[in-house]
Amino acid sequence: MSQVASGAKGTTTLARTLGLWAIVGLGLGYMTPTVVFDTFGIVSTETGNVVPTAYLLALVVMMFTAISYGRMTQIFPSAGSAYTYTSETISPNLGFLIGWAALLDYLLLPLVNALIIRSYLYSFFPEAPAWIWVVVYVAVITGMCLFSMTNTSRVNMILVVFEVVLIGVFLVLAAKSLIDGMGNGTLFSTQPLWHEGVHLNLVITGATIVAFSFIGFDAITMYTEEAKDASIVPKAILLALLIGGAIFFVSAFFTQSLFPDVSNFSQESLENSALPEIAFNVGGHLFKILLTSAAFAATVASSLASHASVSRLLYVMGRNGRGPIGRFFGYLHPSFQTPAYAIVFVGLVSLLAIAFTLDFVASLINFGALVAFTFVNLTVIVYFAYRRKEFRGGKQILRNIVLPAIGVALTVVLWLYLSADSTRYGLIWFGIGIVVLLWLTRLFRRPLTINMGDPED
């Protein structure tokens, strides 16, 4: 049994057990690198067959927000991410609403993964009720997250390495196929990046789809209080984003070179996952099984990372709350040193995969991510330019105003392409958050508090 981490008064705290690459692995696990193959048919149709350009544009957008995350996690080394940054720099009340909005994204991602696993297993075992796979899978993931963050990160790393190795095998097979004359018939071509008939608005449309493949680098901030050294978190954020972005871009480039036109793809590949068809055309039936196995592993890794991260957000919000609800989510198990009740709660929410459909849940997850991205960029401006008055000279203006403002502007562009369902349900969720805030603060007569994790706080 692990030793309990305690503060000066014996208060149990999150255990600092995660190194740099463990945190990077959790971020990559969250991002699910094999998703580039799943969405290839959809994105290729939307962009006019320039998928790698859409990923490149999305990476640029994410880089500005990643820089803001890195700066704010150095100032506020807490597990609360956008919730903590907004609470500390602008207002605890607004911070609660931002955290509430982000919960819509973070809470539903484990549920989405459970839905995907349900569809995988049901396709292999159609005679078994689909709900059984949801219950068994969610129970396993919840148990792993509950008992040890160290073991969770190790299993996640093994799964991430497995899927990255299989992606590497795909690139080798793809290069051989191109040399043999398949697709564009050459390893180096500008066709996958830009060609006649492609317009910028098509690329932006594609970027809004693939941008959410990058969700995961921001979740790294949830592990700040479990990092061996909090100063490694900004580096982990950029590494996860750059490594994930490179995998997405290179994989998309080779896939687009092999399939410059997806008109011959099956309807299933164009509407859902194109991964099985891509794998079969490149490496035959055996490789189709292997790459599908990698996609399964990627989904499990994403489940572990997303389940662990959202439970940390619930824990921090509970730690800052009052009453039985605050004590419930703010509870840390004295032996496991994990937010046990929050982890179990996320598992219970994930069981909704028994009844919900993937299309419905997927339409809800984008709202919270964009809210968090926007306000993290804004908190950089508020904290450094407004509160600390660091806007003297070109360098300070660039770092503290221009770069985060670009991050806000680029996020707004993504807002413009958000689906109507995502906006509608997101606003309903945000409205519920306002009601909850009014109840917690007794109509703003009782202020919210912020606890950065210090047992003396």
Side-chain angles (χ1 to χ4, degrees):
M1 185 176 295
S2 58
Q3 184 179 359
V4 178
S6 302
K9 294 183 179 180
T11 304
T12 304
T13 60
L14 291 167
R16 291 194 172 275
T17 60
L18 301 178
L20 173 64
W21 290 106
I23 298 176
V24 171
L26 286 165
L28 290 175
Y30 209 129
M31 292 165 72
T32 320
T34 56
V35 75
V36 64
F37 305 114
D38 290 314
T39 60
F40 178 79
I42 300 169
V43 180
S44 191
T45 301
E46 291 288 343
T47 60
N49 303 307
V50 287
V51 176
T53 307
Y55 272 103
L56 193 60
L57 178 59
L59 177 61
V60 171
V61 174
M62 294 299 110
M63 280 298 298
F64 287 97
T65 300
I67 292 171
S68 294
Y69 268 108
R71 296 192 69 193
M72 295 310 293
T73 196
Q74 288 180 309
I75 301 299
F76 303 109
S78 169
S81 192
Y83 159 70
T84 296
Y85 311 151
T86 306
S87 297
E88 289 285 350
T89 61
I90 302 177
S91 161
N93 291 336
L94 181 60
F96 173 85
L97 291 176
I98 301 308
W100 181 270
L103 273 177
L104 183 63
D105 169 34
Y106 288 125
L107 267 178
L108 291 180
L109 280 170
L111 194 157
V112 166
N113 289 320
L115 280 167
I116 293 172
I117 292 296
R118 184 191 74 179
S119 65
Y120 283 164
L121 293 175
Y122 185 72
S123 66
F124 283 108
F125 308 101
E127 67 279 0
W131 66 265
I132 290 179
W133 304 122
V134 174
V135 172
V136 172
Y137 180 73
V138 169
V140 171
I141 295 298
T142 302
M144 292 181 67
C145 292
L146 176 64
F147 293 119
S148 172
M149 189 62 220
T150 302
N151 290 334
T152 298
S153 68
R154 287 173 181 167
V155 173
N156 173 81
M157 183 64 77
I158 292 171
L159 296 172
V160 168
V161 169
F162 174 67
E163 62 183 289
V164 171
V165 168
L166 263 295
I167 290 174
V169 174
F170 165 81
L171 296 178
V172 172
L173 293 174
K176 182 180 182 300
S177 298
L178 288 170
I179 293 172
D180 291 341
M182 184 176 175
N184 288 333
T186 176
L187 291 174
F188 305 102
S189 171
T190 59
Q191 279 290 107
L193 300 175
W194 199 271
H195 53 258
E196 186 178 356
V198 176
H199 304 287
L200 183 59
N201 64 318
L202 295 177
V203 178
I204 295 175
T205 300
T208 61
I209 300 173
V210 303
F212 301 104
S213 301
F214 290 92
I215 294 176
F217 78 87
D218 59 310
I220 284 176
T221 59
M222 299 294 180
Y223 308 115
T224 301
E225 293 182 36
E226 291 165 281
K228 292 179 180 178
D229 183 350
S231 65
I232 67 175
V233 175
K235 186 176 181 180
I237 292 172
L238 289 176
L239 280 173
L241 182 61
L242 291 174
I243 293 172
I247 293 173
F248 288 143
F249 176 76
V250 174
S251 300
F253 182 87
F254 274 84
T255 307
Q256 194 75 81
S257 296
L258 287 170
F259 307 100
D261 184 355
V262 296
S263 59
N264 293 326
F265 273 36
S266 67
Q267 197 64 27
E268 173 68 18
S269 295
L270 294 176
E271 293 181 353
N272 296 291
S273 175
L275 183 144
E277 185 167 347
I278 292 171
F280 180 79
N281 286 321
V282 172
H285 187 67
L286 176 60
F287 186 66
K288 174 183 175 181
I289 294 174
L290 290 174
L291 195 60
T292 303
S293 300
F296 191 98
T299 305
V300 175
S302 180
S303 293
L304 290 171
S306 58
H307 198 124
S309 64
V310 69
S311 63
R312 270 65 184 171
L313 176 57
L314 285 169
Y315 161 69
V316 173
M317 294 183 74
R319 185 174 67 190
N320 292 334
R322 295 187 178 93
I325 296 178
R327 288 193 297 271
F328 179 85
F329 288 113
Y331 171 80
L332 279 179
H333 194 281
S335 299
F336 304 144
Q337 299 166 244
T338 57
Y341 296 161
I343 289 172
V344 172
F345 176 79
V346 176
L348 293 175
V349 172
S350 298
L351 289 177
L352 292 175
I354 293 173
F356 285 177
T357 64
L358 185 58
D359 287 343
F360 174 75
V361 178
S363 69
L364 306 179
I365 65 174
N366 299 340
F367 183 87
L370 288 178
V371 169
F373 291 171
T374 300
F375 274 87
V376 168
N377 284 302
L378 286 174
T379 58
V380 172
I381 299 174
V382 172
Y383 182 77
F384 289 99
Y386 176 73
R387 289 180 55 176
R388 291 175 49 165
K389 310 298 182 185
E390 295 181 5
F391 50 81
R392 299 173 180 84
K395 184 177 180 180
Q396 287 189 346
I397 292 175
L398 177 67
R399 295 186 67 211
N400 302 333
I401 299 177
V402 175
L403 291 180
I406 293 174
V408 172
L410 293 176
T411 306
V412 169
V413 171
L414 298 184
W415 271 106
L416 297 177
Y417 287 85
L418 201 60
S419 71
D421 283 343
S422 184
T423 302
R424 183 185 308 113
Y425 292 119
L427 289 175
I428 292 173
W429 176 258
F430 198 78
I432 294 173
I434 293 175
V435 174
V436 173
L437 176 64
L438 291 173
W439 174 71
L440 289 174
T441 60
R442 302 297 186 266
L443 299 178
F444 301 116
R445 291 193 297 269
R446 187 172 71 180
L448 294 177
T449 59
I450 297 297
N451 180 353
M452 293 290 286
D454 184 354
E456 297 288 346
D457 194 349

